[in-house]
């Protein structure tokens, strides 16, 4: 997984309405994920040195946007490569992450970005949008599978018009499954690709392009994975 969890500021998300209507917000607890990524810190980029799919997805996103566009990076992690790549292309980046350590690294690596410790479940009430584009690389997989459609609808609501979304996920038929990760434990969810397509389309996005890549992290305690990248446009 080549981005951090990127979703929460605290153990429990705050109140709000809209995309998360009908979801049990009392069930939201990101504490363990946040603590794991705080502990991982700058070892993260060492474990995931090659991010060609993520770089290609970010390049596609950037090409859809006018210079100076406002872009939301959900799960910005260390800021590398996505926030840095978007900023270098002349865009204004707002990065979200749940890990204080990751946010510090993102501020160091991309000082011109705006980094926020904010839960995706609170995005609607935060007043940060709308955005011209959204990147979400391996951040939504940190959610229980039942929550992912709500998070996608929240991102849909933050995009202008037919704005682009690039989404990175790991292909896996699991929900809230604990895995070892750089000496810590994190919980992940995923879909097989046909089901992922349906979830994304049901949330109001048209899929423009797809990219699937086999990925073997440098760290021996993180298993190889199939990474799925969906290049999407918001359906008004």
């Amino acid at each position: 997984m080549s981005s951090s969890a990127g979703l929460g500021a605290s153990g429990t998300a705050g109140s709000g309405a809209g995309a998360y209507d009908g979801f049990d917000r009392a069930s939201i607890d990101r504490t363990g994920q946040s603590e794991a990524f705080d502990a991982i810190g700058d070892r993260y980029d060492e474990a995931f040195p090659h991010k060609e799919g993520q770089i290609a997805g970010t390049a596609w996103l950037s090409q859809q946007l006018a210079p100076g566009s406002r872009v939301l990076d959900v799960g910005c992690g260390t800021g590398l490569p996505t926030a840095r790549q978007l900023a270098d292309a002349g865009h204004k980046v707002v990065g979200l992450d749940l890990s204080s350590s990751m946010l510090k690294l993102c501020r160091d690596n991309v000082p011109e970005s705006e980094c926020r410790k904010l839960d995706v479940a609170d995005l609607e009430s935060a007043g940060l949008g709308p955005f011209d584009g959204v990147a979400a690389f391996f951040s939504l997989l940190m959610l229980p599978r039942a929550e992912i459609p709500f998070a996608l609808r929240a991102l849909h609501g933050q995009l202008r018009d037919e704005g682009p979304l690039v989404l990175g996920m790991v292909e896996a038929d699991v929900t809230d499954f604990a895995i070892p990760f750089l000496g810590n434990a994190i919980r992940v969810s995923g879909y097989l690709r046909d089901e992922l397509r349906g979830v994304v389309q049901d949330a109001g996005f048209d899929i423009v392009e797809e990219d699937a890549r086999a990925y073997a992290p440098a760290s021996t305690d993180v298993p190889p994975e199939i990474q799925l990248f969906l290049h999407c446009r918001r359906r008004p």
Side-chain angles (χ1 to χ4, degrees):
M1 285 160 289
S2 47
S3 183
S4 95
L7 296 168
S10 60
T12 303
S15 60
Y20 267 73
D21 283 357
F23 186 78
D24 179 12
R25 299 174 70 94
S27 70
I28 297 175
D29 186 355
R30 323 282 196 216
T31 308
Q33 309 286 57
S34 174
E35 290 173 351
F37 280 95
D38 280 342
I40 290 164
D42 57 8
R43 291 183 295 138
Y44 187 85
D45 287 327
E46 295 175 8
F48 293 91
H50 306 295
K51 303 178 183 178
E52 288 83 357
Q54 186 168 340
I55 291 168
T58 305
W60 174 85
L61 177 65
S62 183
Q63 290 163 6
Q64 311 307 305
L65 301 169
S69 291
R70 249 178 123 242
V71 184
L72 180 66
D73 184 5
V74 184
C76 59
T78 67
L80 303 176
T82 300
R84 180 71 271 160
Q85 189 177 349
L86 290 167
D88 286 345
H91 302 302
K92 300 172 183 175
V93 183
V94 178
L96 306 184
D97 209 284
L98 62 75
S99 165
S100 297
S101 294
M102 291 292 179
L103 286 168
K104 180 184 184 303
L105 289 165
C106 186
R107 293 183 183 109
D108 291 343
N109 290 325
V110 196
E112 63 270 51
S113 66
E114 178 184 348
C115 299
R116 295 290 192 103
K117 198 172 185 182
L118 180 72
D119 199 295
V120 70
D122 296 328
L123 190 53
E124 289 175 301
S125 60
L128 296 178
F131 294 91
D132 301 301
V134 173
F137 289 111
F138 311 109
S139 48
L140 300 192
L141 62 81
M142 300 290 170
L143 303 176
R145 194 152 66 174
E147 186 180 351
I148 292 173
F150 293 88
L152 284 167
R153 286 196 286 272
L155 297 181
H156 183 279
Q158 294 298 301
L159 272 168
R160 290 188 176 96
D161 304 323
E162 297 178 357
L165 161 75
V166 60
L167 176 69
M169 294 285 285
V170 172
E171 185 172 30
D173 188 15
V174 297
T175 181
D176 203 27
F177 182 71
I179 63 169
F181 189 73
L182 300 179
N184 296 270
I186 60 170
R187 307 190 72 84
V188 298
S189 299
Y191 301 93
L192 301 181
R193 65 190 70 186
D194 284 345
E195 189 175 3
L196 177 62
R197 291 185 194 111
V199 170
V200 170
Q201 290 165 341
D202 288 347
F205 294 96
D206 292 323
I207 299 169
V208 179
E209 297 176 3
E210 295 183 34
D211 187 13
R213 302 190 182 218
Y215 190 89
S219 172
T220 56
D221 78 333
V222 181
E225 59 196 28
I226 299 296
Q227 297 182 342
L228 303 177
F229 300 93
L230 301 185
H231 304 171
C232 311
R233 282 205 167 274
R234 180 183 186 272
R235 195 163 58 243

